[in-house]
Amino acid sequence: MADGRVRQLIDTVAWVRIEEGCILCARPRGKGVFYIPGGKREGAETDLQTLLREIEEELTVALLPETAAHVGTYEAVHGPTDGALVRMSCYTADYRGTLAASSEIEEVAWFSYADRALVPPVDQLLFDDLVHAGLLR
């Protein structure tokens, strides 16, 4: 890092689901901030394995692995200047089932670009790319 401090790296994988110009976001139970659904890799999991597991745990749907496509990887510091560096590898994928908040998710919502300030810095980078691509209203 430019300031000479070594930051902890949090390696995450996220599901980008856009419908009618809005992106699906989730707020974990007990937290006040929304995130792009997904989570941290466990052990030697691949991006796809992490994505499939996390989305089923969080939103009770099964992603269709053959439809998964990488849309970008983003990095940003989470929190104040001593915060961790978050890397978020983002994928689209079709799913089967009915989207519903699981036991670890308090709330799901569909966000437009106007809601950008409600998500963490790394998610904001994704929002920027999506609005520039004409995918997010």
Side-chain angles (χ1 to χ4, degrees):
M1 307 256 75
D3 63 8
R5 285 183 275 193
V6 176
R7 299 188 195 280
Q8 173 191 5
L9 175 66
I10 299 173
D11 186 22
T12 67
V13 180
W15 182 39
V16 177
R17 182 67 189 181
I18 299 171
E19 293 184 11
E20 299 178 12
C22 291
I23 187 168
L24 180 64
C25 293
R27 184 174 59 79
R29 195 165 300 286
K31 303 229 175 166
V33 66
F34 281 84
Y35 298 89
I36 304 301
K40 297 176 193 168
R41 185 181 322 275
E42 288 183 1
E45 281 182 329
T46 65
D47 282 3
L48 184 58
Q49 290 168 330
T50 304
L51 187 67
L52 296 175
R53 176 183 52 76
E54 284 286 346
I55 298 309
E56 187 170 7
E57 288 174 4
E58 292 184 357
L59 300 171
T60 71
V61 296
L63 296 184
L64 305 176
E66 66 277 8
T67 67
H70 184 253
V71 294
T73 299
Y74 303 88
E75 289 186 355
V77 174
H78 183 75
T81 56
D82 60 344
L85 179 66
V86 177
R87 176 183 300 138
M88 183 174 71
S89 299
C90 298
Y91 294 82
T92 59
D94 293 333
Y95 69 96
R96 71 173 184 269
T98 302
L99 286 170
S102 73
S103 59
E104 66 184 69
I105 299 299
E106 182 83 26
E107 180 181 5
V108 294
W110 293 93
F111 282 5
S112 70
Y113 192 72
D115 302 306
R116 180 183 181 273
L118 302 177
V119 298
V122 72
D123 296 41
Q124 291 178 9
L125 297 174
L126 171 64
F127 273 50
D128 293 344
D129 275 2
L130 292 173
V131 78
H132 288 114
L135 298 173
L136 197 60
R137 61 175 169 85

